[in-house]
Every structure is written in C-alpha cells, then in structure tokens.
Amino acid sequence: MTAPSGVVVLTDRLVARGGLDRVVAAAAAGGVRWVVLREKDLPRAERAALATDLRAILADVGGTLVVAGPDPLGGDAVHLPAAGPYPPPPHQLVGRSCHNQTELTRLTTEHYATVSPVHPTRTKPGYGPPLGPDGLQRLVEVSNVPVLALGGIETPDQVTACVQAGAAGVAVLGALMRSPDPTETATTLTRAFQEAVTPELTQTRHGVTPELAQARRGVTRASTSGLRPTVPTQGSSLTARSGHGRPQPQAATNHDPPHPQTRNSGK
C-alpha cells in the first residue's frame, strides 16, 4: 500500500454540507482518492459502520480510507496522533501527525506524516503559529517519510506552494467539508496539485518548453489519478452518524445547511 498523495480529505460530519457520505462521494467525483476518517467522538460500532460505508464509496473509484487512531475499524490503514502509541501498530499503512522536528525524528516504521499547521486553521488552533511554506519546507527536508501539508489549505495557490515546498500532498478538511460544491472544490485543488507536480503541462500551454519548465520549477513528479468518476448512487442508506443516506447524482452540489448534531466530549 502506497503512502497518500495528492488531495487527502479529513472528515468532520458536523460541518459536512448535506451529510458526510455525500461530501466524500462528491470529493471522489472531483478526483480525491484518499480520505481520513476522524469522528472520534462516535461509539466504536457507529464509527465502524461509517467506515464500512465510506470504504464502499471509495472502492468505486479505487480510493483508500485511513482511520484516525490505532483501531483500523476493519481495514488496515491508520493515522496516529503525535502522542502515541509508540511503537506504531504493524498495519499495512501507518501515518502520524507531526508539528515539529522533534516529532518527526521520533518516527520509526510509519509510512508518512502530516505536518501542521501550515496556515491558520479553525479546526486545530492550539498547535502554535503557522509554519508557512518556508517552515513546511524545513520540516520536509528533515523527514524520512513523505509529508502531507495540513492546516488552512483552501486555495490552488496554497496547494502549489505546498508542493513546491516538497509536500507529497495536502490534507484538507474545512475547504471540502464546508464547500457548497465539493466536487468543484476537489477538482480545482486536485488540478492545482497535478499541475504543480507536472509543471511542464502548465508551462507548455504558455509557450514554454517542458525542459525549460522543469528547470525553472524543479518540482518532482508524483503519481496521481486524473479520473473523474460519477458520484455513487446505489447502496445502503446511512444513519445519523453521517447525516444522510447514500448520495444521488444531483446532490454533489448540495447547498443545504449542515445537519444539526451535538458533538460528544471524547476526542
């Protein structure tokens, strides 16, 4: 199992417009192939059922669900917090949240790391000042594993800057969970990533040769998928754990307000 790259979606059902399953399906329609399931406040049984439903959506496009925490909930890909456990469990894919060089140097058998916050973020405001692209690049240079940039990444320019800093991908929560059109947002961010890792595609359209474009940018290619699958329309309906049933095609641009729910105290 390869490490995540490209645009990686982190979930938050409490702010997902129209329901978490609809946002994930719409993001997949826009090119997203990696989703990290958070929702740690849910009871395990509900969270495991949600993981099953999201895996079914991603399976339609060859995507992968990573579960936050040491319990893979029936899968074999997890993303661990900086606090532990150490050593990491022996799953096929293990990621770790990191915020500084000390945490990165503690990595052992992890396959990738997220580095945050790159920009100011409403989701996790308590991890110190934003790194910015320069701070991100410094941490990428000392990391022994691929790095995903995380925190406040919402625009194509920010995606490009993260790739130029050496990130293998960008992890996005609010920009997609709160988007009135998750498919369009995912498409825009994914296109920015693809153009950043293959700069000659963009530069050639402006009359610059591929060789000159590569020399100017010096950005390493990364493999991404350019498929634009349709939003899944069949399957079992979800319970209130995600907010709505399995998506219909027209719901990929759903503008309804978030489904009201109350967050539990667990983290």
Side-chain angles (χ1 to χ4, degrees):
M1 189 179 292
T2 61
S5 64
V7 177
V8 180
V9 175
L10 278 64
T11 72
D12 187 338
R13 75 191 188 285
L14 300 184
V15 300
R17 289 197 175 204
L20 183 56
D21 61 317
R22 294 182 185 274
V23 174
V24 169
V32 167
R33 297 295 177 267
W34 294 90
V35 175
V36 178
L37 173 63
R38 297 166 72 244
E39 319 309 325
K40 293 183 180 181
D41 59 305
L42 285 175
R44 187 188 185 281
E46 289 186 34
R47 195 165 177 249
L50 180 54
T52 297
D53 289 319
L54 296 185
R55 284 192 185 100
I57 292 172
L58 291 170
D60 291 339
V61 298
T64 301
L65 183 74
V66 181
V67 178
D71 182 354
L73 300 176
D76 203 21
V78 298
H79 185 88
L80 305 174
Y86 289 96
H91 298 305
Q92 289 186 13
L93 181 66
V94 179
R96 176 85 67 181
S97 295
C98 296
H99 311 90
N100 52 53
Q101 182 172 344
T102 300
E103 291 174 351
L104 281 169
T105 57
R106 292 184 67 185
L107 301 181
T108 54
T109 59
E110 290 88 343
H111 302 96
Y112 74 94
T114 58
V115 166
S116 65
V118 177
H119 299 288
T121 172
R122 287 180 283 173
T123 304
K124 298 181 73 173
Y127 282 94
L131 295 164
D134 291 341
L136 171 63
Q137 182 173 350
R138 286 191 292 271
L139 293 183
V140 168
E141 289 172 350
V142 300
S143 176
N144 292 321
V145 297
V147 166
L148 301 178
L150 169 63
I153 299 168
E154 300 180 349
T155 69
D157 286 346
Q158 289 173 328
V159 173
T160 299
C162 290
V163 174
Q164 291 175 336
V170 294
V172 178
L173 191 153
L176 276 162
M177 291 292 111
R178 300 184 180 96
S179 174
D181 188 346
T183 296
E184 178 60 28
T185 300
T187 299
T188 300
L189 298 180
T190 298
R191 183 184 299 121
F193 175 81
Q194 291 171 336
E195 292 182 349
V197 298
T198 54
E200 63 269 26
L201 296 179
T202 303
Q203 298 289 349
T204 301
R205 289 199 292 267
H206 293 83
V208 180
T209 66
E211 292 78 7
L212 179 57
Q214 190 170 20
R216 284 182 178 179
R217 299 287 292 278
V219 180
T220 303
R221 290 174 181 249
S223 60
T224 59
S225 172
L227 298 177
R228 295 277 317 273
T230 57
V231 178
T233 60
Q234 301 297 324
S236 59
S237 61
L238 303 184
T239 66
R241 61 182 178 268
S242 67
H244 288 275
R246 184 61 74 84
Q248 298 298 316
Q250 67 272 20
T253 56
N254 194 293
H255 291 260
D256 294 337
H259 189 77
Q261 302 188 53
T262 303
R263 189 185 296 273
N264 295 341
S265 60
K267 298 293 183 182

CSV table of all heavy atoms in Angstrom, one decimal, residues 146-207:
chain,number,residue,atom,x,y,z
A,146,PRO,N,7.4,10.5,3.4
A,146,PRO,CA,6.6,11.5,2.7
A,146,PRO,C,5.8,12.4,3.7
A,146,PRO,O,5.3,11.8,4.6
A,146,PRO,CB,5.8,10.7,1.7
A,146,PRO,CG,6.5,9.4,1.6
A,146,PRO,CD,7.1,9.2,2.9
A,147,VAL,N,5.6,13.6,3.3
A,147,VAL,CA,4.9,14.6,4.2
A,147,VAL,C,3.7,15.1,3.5
A,147,VAL,O,3.8,15.5,2.3
A,147,VAL,CB,5.8,15.7,4.6
A,147,VAL,CG1,5.0,16.9,5.2
A,147,VAL,CG2,6.9,15.2,5.6
A,148,LEU,N,2.6,15.1,4.2
A,148,LEU,CA,1.4,15.8,3.7
A,148,LEU,C,1.2,17.1,4.5
A,148,LEU,O,1.4,17.2,5.7
A,148,LEU,CB,0.1,15.0,4.0
A,148,LEU,CG,0.0,13.6,3.4
A,148,LEU,CD1,-1.3,12.9,3.8
A,148,LEU,CD2,0.1,13.6,1.9
A,149,ALA,N,1.0,18.2,3.8
A,149,ALA,CA,0.8,19.5,4.4
A,149,ALA,C,-0.6,19.6,4.9
A,149,ALA,O,-1.5,19.3,4.2
A,149,ALA,CB,1.1,20.6,3.4
A,150,LEU,N,-0.8,20.1,6.1
A,150,LEU,CA,-2.1,20.2,6.7
A,150,LEU,C,-2.3,21.5,7.4
A,150,LEU,O,-1.4,22.0,8.0
A,150,LEU,CB,-2.2,19.0,7.7
A,150,LEU,CG,-3.4,19.0,8.7
A,150,LEU,CD1,-4.7,18.9,7.9
A,150,LEU,CD2,-3.3,17.9,9.7
A,151,GLY,N,-3.5,22.0,7.3
A,151,GLY,CA,-3.9,23.2,8.1
A,151,GLY,C,-4.1,24.4,7.3
A,151,GLY,O,-3.2,25.0,6.7
A,152,GLY,N,-5.4,24.8,7.1
A,152,GLY,CA,-5.8,26.0,6.5
A,152,GLY,C,-5.5,26.0,5.0
A,152,GLY,O,-5.5,27.1,4.4
A,153,ILE,N,-5.4,24.9,4.3
A,153,ILE,CA,-5.1,24.9,2.9
A,153,ILE,C,-6.5,24.9,2.2
A,153,ILE,O,-7.3,23.9,2.3
A,153,ILE,CB,-4.3,23.6,2.5
A,153,ILE,CG1,-3.0,23.7,3.2
A,153,ILE,CG2,-4.1,23.6,1.0
A,153,ILE,CD1,-2.2,22.4,3.2
A,154,GLU,N,-6.8,26.0,1.4
A,154,GLU,CA,-8.1,26.1,0.8
A,154,GLU,C,-8.0,26.6,-0.6
A,154,GLU,O,-9.0,26.5,-1.3
A,154,GLU,CB,-8.9,27.2,1.6
A,154,GLU,CG,-9.1,26.8,3.1
A,154,GLU,CD,-9.9,27.8,3.9
A,154,GLU,OE1,-10.1,28.9,3.3
A,154,GLU,OE2,-10.3,27.5,5.0
A,155,THR,N,-6.9,27.0,-1.1
A,155,THR,CA,-6.8,27.6,-2.5
A,155,THR,C,-5.8,26.9,-3.3
A,155,THR,O,-4.9,26.3,-2.8
A,155,THR,CB,-6.4,29.1,-2.4
A,155,THR,OG1,-5.1,29.2,-2.0
A,155,THR,CG2,-7.3,29.9,-1.4
A,156,PRO,N,-6.0,27.0,-4.7
A,156,PRO,CA,-5.0,26.4,-5.6
A,156,PRO,C,-3.6,26.9,-5.3
A,156,PRO,O,-2.6,26.2,-5.4
A,156,PRO,CB,-5.5,26.8,-6.9
A,156,PRO,CG,-7.0,26.9,-6.8
A,156,PRO,CD,-7.1,27.5,-5.4
A,157,ASP,N,-3.4,28.2,-5.1
A,157,ASP,CA,-2.1,28.8,-4.8
A,157,ASP,C,-1.4,28.2,-3.6
A,157,ASP,O,-0.2,27.9,-3.6
A,157,ASP,CB,-2.2,30.3,-4.7
A,157,ASP,CG,-2.4,31.0,-6.0
A,157,ASP,OD1,-2.3,30.4,-7.0
A,157,ASP,OD2,-2.8,32.2,-6.0
A,158,GLN,N,-2.2,27.9,-2.6
A,158,GLN,CA,-1.7,27.3,-1.4
A,158,GLN,C,-1.3,25.8,-1.6
A,158,GLN,O,-0.2,25.4,-1.1
A,158,GLN,CB,-2.7,27.3,-0.2
A,158,GLN,CG,-3.0,28.7,0.3
A,158,GLN,CD,-4.1,28.7,1.3
A,158,GLN,OE1,-5.1,28.0,1.2
A,158,GLN,NE2,-4.0,29.6,2.3
A,159,VAL,N,-2.0,25.1,-2.4
A,159,VAL,CA,-1.6,23.8,-2.8
A,159,VAL,C,-0.3,23.8,-3.6
A,159,VAL,O,0.6,23.0,-3.3
A,159,VAL,CB,-2.7,23.1,-3.7
A,159,VAL,CG1,-2.2,21.8,-4.3
A,159,VAL,CG2,-4.0,22.9,-2.9
A,160,THR,N,-0.2,24.7,-4.5
A,160,THR,CA,1.0,24.8,-5.3
A,160,THR,C,2.2,25.1,-4.4
A,160,THR,O,3.3,24.5,-4.6
A,160,THR,CB,0.9,26.0,-6.4
A,160,THR,OG1,-0.2,25.6,-7.3
A,160,THR,CG2,2.2,26.1,-7.2
A,161,ALA,N,2.1,26.1,-3.5
A,161,ALA,CA,3.2,26.4,-2.6
A,161,ALA,C,3.6,25.2,-1.7
A,161,ALA,O,4.8,25.0,-1.5
A,161,ALA,CB,2.8,27.6,-1.7
A,162,CYS,N,2.7,24.4,-1.3
A,162,CYS,CA,3.0,23.2,-0.5
A,162,CYS,C,3.8,22.2,-1.3
A,162,CYS,O,4.8,21.6,-0.8
A,162,CYS,CB,1.7,22.6,0.1
A,162,CYS,SG,0.9,23.5,1.3
A,163,VAL,N,3.4,22.0,-2.6
A,163,VAL,CA,4.1,21.1,-3.4
A,163,VAL,C,5.5,21.6,-3.7
A,163,VAL,O,6.5,20.9,-3.7
A,163,VAL,CB,3.4,20.9,-4.8
A,163,VAL,CG1,4.2,20.0,-5.7
A,163,VAL,CG2,2.0,20.2,-4.5
A,164,GLN,N,5.6,22.9,-3.9
A,164,GLN,CA,7.0,23.5,-4.2
A,164,GLN,C,7.8,23.4,-2.9
A,164,GLN,O,9.1,23.4,-3.1
A,164,GLN,CB,6.8,24.9,-4.6
A,164,GLN,CG,6.2,25.1,-6.0
A,164,GLN,CD,5.9,26.5,-6.4
A,164,GLN,OE1,5.8,27.4,-5.5
A,164,GLN,NE2,5.9,26.8,-7.7
A,165,ALA,N,7.2,23.3,-1.8
A,165,ALA,CA,8.0,23.1,-0.5
A,165,ALA,C,8.4,21.7,-0.3
A,165,ALA,O,9.1,21.4,0.7
A,165,ALA,CB,7.2,23.6,0.7
A,166,GLY,N,7.9,20.8,-1.1
A,166,GLY,CA,8.3,19.4,-1.0
A,166,GLY,C,7.3,18.4,-0.5
A,166,GLY,O,7.5,17.2,-0.4
A,167,ALA,N,6.0,18.9,-0.3
A,167,ALA,CA,5.0,18.0,0.3
A,167,ALA,C,4.5,17.1,-0.8
A,167,ALA,O,4.4,17.4,-2.0
A,167,ALA,CB,3.8,18.9,0.7
A,168,ALA,N,4.2,15.8,-0.4
A,168,ALA,CA,3.7,14.8,-1.3
A,168,ALA,C,2.3,15.0,-1.6
A,168,ALA,O,1.7,14.4,-2.5
A,168,ALA,CB,4.0,13.4,-0.7
A,169,GLY,N,1.6,15.8,-0.8
A,169,GLY,CA,0.2,16.0,-0.9
A,169,GLY,C,-0.3,17.1,0.1
A,169,GLY,O,0.5,17.5,0.9
A,170,VAL,N,-1.6,17.4,0.1
A,170,VAL,CA,-2.2,18.3,1.0
A,170,VAL,C,-3.4,17.6,1.7
A,170,VAL,O,-4.2,17.0,1.0
A,170,VAL,CB,-2.6,19.6,0.3
A,170,VAL,CG1,-1.4,20.4,-0.2
A,170,VAL,CG2,-3.6,19.4,-0.8
A,171,ALA,N,-3.5,17.8,3.0
A,171,ALA,CA,-4.7,17.3,3.7
A,171,ALA,C,-5.6,18.4,3.9
A,171,ALA,O,-5.2,19.5,4.5
A,171,ALA,CB,-4.2,16.6,5.0
A,172,VAL,N,-6.9,18.2,3.6
A,172,VAL,CA,-7.9,19.3,3.6
A,172,VAL,C,-9.1,18.9,4.3
A,172,VAL,O,-9.6,17.8,4.2
A,172,VAL,CB,-8.3,19.7,2.1
A,172,VAL,CG1,-9.3,20.8,2.1
A,172,VAL,CG2,-7.0,20.1,1.3
A,173,LEU,N,-9.6,19.7,5.2
A,173,LEU,CA,-10.8,19.5,5.9
A,173,LEU,C,-11.9,20.5,5.6
A,173,LEU,O,-12.8,20.3,4.8
A,173,LEU,CB,-10.6,19.4,7.4
A,173,LEU,CG,-11.7,18.9,8.3
A,173,LEU,CD1,-11.2,18.3,9.6
A,173,LEU,CD2,-12.8,19.9,8.6
A,174,GLY,N,-11.7,21.7,6.1
A,174,GLY,CA,-12.8,22.7,6.0
A,174,GLY,C,-13.1,23.1,4.6
A,174,GLY,O,-14.3,23.3,4.2
A,175,ALA,N,-12.1,23.2,3.7
A,175,ALA,CA,-12.4,23.7,2.3
A,175,ALA,C,-13.3,22.7,1.6
A,175,ALA,O,-14.1,23.1,0.7
A,175,ALA,CB,-11.1,23.8,1.6
A,176,LEU,N,-13.3,21.4,2.0
A,176,LEU,CA,-14.2,20.5,1.3
A,176,LEU,C,-15.4,20.2,2.2
A,176,LEU,O,-16.5,20.1,1.6
A,176,LEU,CB,-13.4,19.2,1.0
A,176,LEU,CG,-12.7,19.2,-0.3
A,176,LEU,CD1,-11.6,18.1,-0.4
A,176,LEU,CD2,-13.6,19.1,-1.5
A,177,MET,N,-15.3,20.0,3.5
A,177,MET,CA,-16.4,19.7,4.3
A,177,MET,C,-17.5,20.9,4.2
A,177,MET,O,-18.7,20.6,4.2
A,177,MET,CB,-16.0,19.5,5.7
A,177,MET,CG,-15.2,18.2,6.0
A,177,MET,SD,-16.2,16.7,5.8
A,177,MET,CE,-15.4,16.0,4.3
A,178,ARG,N,-17.0,22.1,4.2
A,178,ARG,CA,-17.9,23.3,4.2
A,178,ARG,C,-18.3,23.8,2.8
A,178,ARG,O,-19.1,24.7,2.7
A,178,ARG,CB,-17.3,24.4,5.0
A,178,ARG,CG,-17.0,24.1,6.5
A,178,ARG,CD,-16.5,25.3,7.2
A,178,ARG,NE,-16.2,25.0,8.6
A,178,ARG,CZ,-15.0,24.7,9.1
A,178,ARG,NH1,-14.0,24.7,8.2
A,178,ARG,NH2,-14.8,24.4,10.3
A,179,SER,N,-17.7,23.2,1.8
A,179,SER,CA,-17.9,23.7,0.4
A,179,SER,C,-19.4,23.5,0.0
A,179,SER,O,-19.9,22.4,0.1
A,179,SER,CB,-17.0,23.0,-0.6
A,179,SER,OG,-17.3,23.3,-1.9
A,180,PRO,N,-20.0,24.5,-0.7
A,180,PRO,CA,-21.3,24.3,-1.3
A,180,PRO,C,-21.2,23.4,-2.5
A,180,PRO,O,-22.3,22.8,-2.9
A,180,PRO,CB,-21.7,25.7,-1.7
A,180,PRO,CG,-20.5,26.5,-1.8
A,180,PRO,CD,-19.5,25.9,-0.8
A,181,ASP,N,-20.0,23.2,-3.1
A,181,ASP,CA,-19.9,22.3,-4.2
A,181,ASP,C,-18.6,21.5,-4.1
A,181,ASP,O,-17.5,21.9,-4.6
A,181,ASP,CB,-19.8,23.1,-5.5
A,181,ASP,CG,-19.8,22.3,-6.8
A,181,ASP,OD1,-19.6,21.1,-6.7
A,181,ASP,OD2,-20.1,22.8,-7.9
A,182,PRO,N,-18.6,20.4,-3.3
A,182,PRO,CA,-17.4,19.7,-3.0
A,182,PRO,C,-16.7,19.1,-4.3
A,182,PRO,O,-15.5,19.0,-4.3
A,182,PRO,CB,-17.8,18.6,-2.1
A,182,PRO,CG,-19.1,19.0,-1.5
A,182,PRO,CD,-19.8,19.9,-2.6
A,183,THR,N,-17.5,18.7,-5.3
A,183,THR,CA,-16.9,18.2,-6.5
A,183,THR,C,-16.0,19.2,-7.2
A,183,THR,O,-14.9,19.0,-7.6
A,183,THR,CB,-18.0,17.7,-7.4
A,183,THR,OG1,-18.7,16.6,-6.8
A,183,THR,CG2,-17.4,17.2,-8.8
A,184,GLU,N,-16.6,20.4,-7.3
A,184,GLU,CA,-15.8,21.5,-8.0
A,184,GLU,C,-14.6,21.9,-7.1
A,184,GLU,O,-13.5,22.1,-7.7
A,184,GLU,CB,-16.7,22.7,-8.1
A,184,GLU,CG,-16.0,23.9,-8.8
A,184,GLU,CD,-15.5,23.6,-10.2
A,184,GLU,OE1,-16.0,22.8,-10.9
A,184,GLU,OE2,-14.5,24.3,-10.5
A,185,THR,N,-14.8,22.0,-5.8
A,185,THR,CA,-13.6,22.3,-5.0
A,185,THR,C,-12.5,21.2,-5.1
A,185,THR,O,-11.3,21.6,-5.2
A,185,THR,CB,-14.1,22.4,-3.5
A,185,THR,OG1,-15.0,23.5,-3.4
A,185,THR,CG2,-12.9,22.7,-2.6
A,186,ALA,N,-12.9,20.0,-5.0
A,186,ALA,CA,-12.0,18.9,-5.1
A,186,ALA,C,-11.3,18.9,-6.5
A,186,ALA,O,-10.1,18.7,-6.6
A,186,ALA,CB,-12.6,17.5,-4.9
A,187,THR,N,-12.0,19.2,-7.5
A,187,THR,CA,-11.5,19.2,-8.9
A,187,THR,C,-10.5,20.4,-9.0
A,187,THR,O,-9.4,20.2,-9.6
A,187,THR,CB,-12.6,19.5,-9.9
A,187,THR,OG1,-13.5,18.4,-9.9
A,187,THR,CG2,-12.0,19.6,-11.3
A,188,THR,N,-10.8,21.5,-8.5
A,188,THR,CA,-9.9,22.7,-8.5
A,188,THR,C,-8.6,22.4,-7.8
A,188,THR,O,-7.5,22.7,-8.3
A,188,THR,CB,-10.6,23.9,-8.0
A,188,THR,OG1,-11.8,24.2,-8.7
A,188,THR,CG2,-9.7,25.1,-8.0
A,189,LEU,N,-8.7,21.9,-6.5
A,189,LEU,CA,-7.5,21.6,-5.8
A,189,LEU,C,-6.7,20.5,-6.3
A,189,LEU,O,-5.4,20.5,-6.4
A,189,LEU,CB,-7.9,21.3,-4.3
A,189,LEU,CG,-8.6,22.4,-3.6
A,189,LEU,CD1,-8.9,22.0,-2.1
A,189,LEU,CD2,-7.8,23.7,-3.5
A,190,THR,N,-7.3,19.4,-6.8
A,190,THR,CA,-6.6,18.3,-7.5
A,190,THR,C,-5.9,18.8,-8.7
A,190,THR,O,-4.7,18.4,-9.0
A,190,THR,CB,-7.6,17.2,-7.8
A,190,THR,OG1,-8.2,16.7,-6.6
A,190,THR,CG2,-6.9,16.0,-8.5
A,191,ARG,N,-6.5,19.6,-9.5
A,191,ARG,CA,-5.9,20.1,-10.7
A,191,ARG,C,-4.6,20.9,-10.4
A,191,ARG,O,-3.6,20.8,-11.0
A,191,ARG,CB,-6.8,21.0,-11.5
A,191,ARG,CG,-6.2,21.5,-12.9
A,191,ARG,CD,-7.2,22.4,-13.6
A,191,ARG,NE,-8.4,21.7,-13.9
A,191,ARG,CZ,-9.6,22.1,-13.5
A,191,ARG,NH1,-9.8,23.1,-12.7
A,191,ARG,NH2,-10.7,21.4,-13.9
A,192,ALA,N,-4.8,21.7,-9.3
A,192,ALA,CA,-3.6,22.5,-8.9
A,192,ALA,C,-2.5,21.6,-8.4
A,192,ALA,O,-1.3,21.9,-8.7
A,192,ALA,CB,-4.0,23.5,-7.7
A,193,PHE,N,-2.8,20.6,-7.7
A,193,PHE,CA,-1.7,19.6,-7.3
A,193,PHE,C,-1.1,19.0,-8.6
A,193,PHE,O,0.2,18.9,-8.7
A,193,PHE,CB,-2.3,18.5,-6.4
A,193,PHE,CG,-1.3,17.5,-6.1
A,193,PHE,CD1,-0.3,17.7,-5.1
A,193,PHE,CD2,-1.2,16.3,-6.8
A,193,PHE,CE1,0.6,16.7,-4.8
A,193,PHE,CE2,-0.3,15.3,-6.5
A,193,PHE,CZ,0.6,15.5,-5.5
A,194,GLN,N,-1.9,18.5,-9.5
A,194,GLN,CA,-1.3,17.8,-10.7
A,194,GLN,C,-0.4,18.8,-11.5
A,194,GLN,O,0.6,18.4,-12.0
A,194,GLN,CB,-2.5,17.3,-11.5
A,194,GLN,CG,-3.2,16.1,-10.9
A,194,GLN,CD,-4.5,15.8,-11.6
A,194,GLN,OE1,-5.1,16.6,-12.3
A,194,GLN,NE2,-4.9,14.5,-11.4
A,195,GLU,N,-0.9,20.0,-11.6
A,195,GLU,CA,-0.1,21.0,-12.4
A,195,GLU,C,1.2,21.4,-11.7
A,195,GLU,O,2.2,21.6,-12.3
A,195,GLU,CB,-0.9,22.2,-12.7
A,195,GLU,CG,-2.0,21.9,-13.7
A,195,GLU,CD,-2.9,23.1,-14.0
A,195,GLU,OE1,-2.7,24.2,-13.4
A,195,GLU,OE2,-3.7,23.1,-15.0
A,196,ALA,N,1.2,21.3,-10.3
A,196,ALA,CA,2.4,21.7,-9.6
A,196,ALA,C,3.4,20.6,-9.6
A,196,ALA,O,4.6,20.9,-9.7
A,196,ALA,CB,2.0,21.9,-8.1
A,197,VAL,N,3.0,19.3,-9.7
A,197,VAL,CA,3.9,18.2,-9.8
A,197,VAL,C,4.3,17.9,-11.2
A,197,VAL,O,5.3,17.1,-11.4
A,197,VAL,CB,3.4,16.9,-9.1
A,197,VAL,CG1,3.2,17.2,-7.6
A,197,VAL,CG2,2.2,16.4,-9.8
A,198,THR,N,3.6,18.4,-12.2
A,198,THR,CA,4.0,18.3,-13.6
A,198,THR,C,3.9,19.6,-14.2
A,198,THR,O,3.1,19.9,-15.0
A,198,THR,CB,3.0,17.3,-14.3
A,198,THR,OG1,1.7,17.8,-14.1
A,198,THR,CG2,3.2,15.9,-13.8
A,199,PRO,N,4.9,20.5,-13.9
A,199,PRO,CA,4.8,21.9,-14.3
A,199,PRO,C,4.8,22.1,-15.8
A,199,PRO,O,4.3,23.1,-16.3
A,199,PRO,CB,6.0,22.6,-13.6
A,199,PRO,CG,6.9,21.5,-13.3
A,199,PRO,CD,6.0,20.3,-13.0
A,200,GLU,N,5.5,21.2,-16.5
A,200,GLU,CA,5.6,21.4,-17.9
A,200,GLU,C,4.2,21.4,-18.6
A,200,GLU,O,4.0,22.0,-19.7
A,200,GLU,CB,6.5,20.4,-18.6
A,200,GLU,CG,6.0,18.9,-18.5
A,200,GLU,CD,6.5,18.2,-17.2
A,200,GLU,OE1,6.8,18.9,-16.2
A,200,GLU,OE2,6.6,17.0,-17.2
A,201,LEU,N,3.2,20.7,-18.0
A,201,LEU,CA,1.9,20.7,-18.6
A,201,LEU,C,1.3,22.1,-18.6
A,201,LEU,O,0.7,22.6,-19.6
A,201,LEU,CB,0.9,19.8,-17.8
A,201,LEU,CG,1.3,18.3,-17.8
A,201,LEU,CD1,0.3,17.6,-16.9
A,201,LEU,CD2,1.3,17.8,-19.2
A,202,THR,N,1.5,22.9,-17.5
A,202,THR,CA,1.0,24.2,-17.4
A,202,THR,C,1.9,25.2,-18.3
A,202,THR,O,1.3,26.0,-19.0
A,202,THR,CB,1.1,24.7,-16.0
A,202,THR,OG1,0.3,23.8,-15.2
A,202,THR,CG2,0.5,26.1,-15.8
A,203,GLN,N,3.2,25.0,-18.2
A,203,GLN,CA,4.1,26.0,-18.9
A,203,GLN,C,4.0,25.8,-20.4
A,203,GLN,O,4.1,26.8,-21.1
A,203,GLN,CB,5.5,25.8,-18.4
A,203,GLN,CG,5.7,26.0,-16.9
A,203,GLN,CD,5.6,27.5,-16.6
A,203,GLN,OE1,5.6,28.3,-17.4
A,203,GLN,NE2,5.5,27.8,-15.3
A,204,THR,N,3.8,24.6,-20.9
A,204,THR,CA,3.8,24.4,-22.3
A,204,THR,C,2.6,25.1,-22.9
A,204,THR,O,2.6,25.7,-24.0
A,204,THR,CB,3.7,22.9,-22.6
A,204,THR,OG1,4.8,22.2,-22.1
A,204,THR,CG2,3.6,22.7,-24.2
A,205,ARG,N,1.5,25.2,-22.2
A,205,ARG,CA,0.3,25.9,-22.6
A,205,ARG,C,0.6,27.4,-22.8
A,205,ARG,O,-0.2,28.1,-23.4
A,205,ARG,CB,-0.9,25.7,-21.7
A,205,ARG,CG,-1.4,24.3,-21.8
A,205,ARG,CD,-2.8,24.3,-21.2
A,205,ARG,NE,-2.8,24.5,-19.8
A,205,ARG,CZ,-2.8,23.5,-18.8
A,205,ARG,NH1,-2.7,22.3,-19.2
A,205,ARG,NH2,-2.8,23.8,-17.6
A,206,HIS,N,1.7,27.9,-22.1
A,206,HIS,CA,2.0,29.3,-22.2
A,206,HIS,C,3.3,29.5,-23.1
A,206,HIS,O,3.9,30.5,-23.0
A,206,HIS,CB,2.2,29.9,-20.8
A,206,HIS,CG,1.0,29.9,-20.0
A,206,HIS,ND1,0.5,28.8,-19.3
A,206,HIS,CD2,0.1,30.9,-19.8
A,206,HIS,CE1,-0.6,29.1,-18.7
A,206,HIS,NE2,-0.9,30.4,-18.9
A,207,GLY,N,3.6,28.5,-23.9
A,207,GLY,CA,4.7,28.7,-24.9
A,207,GLY,C,6.1,28.4,-24.3
A,207,GLY,O,7.1,28.8,-24.9
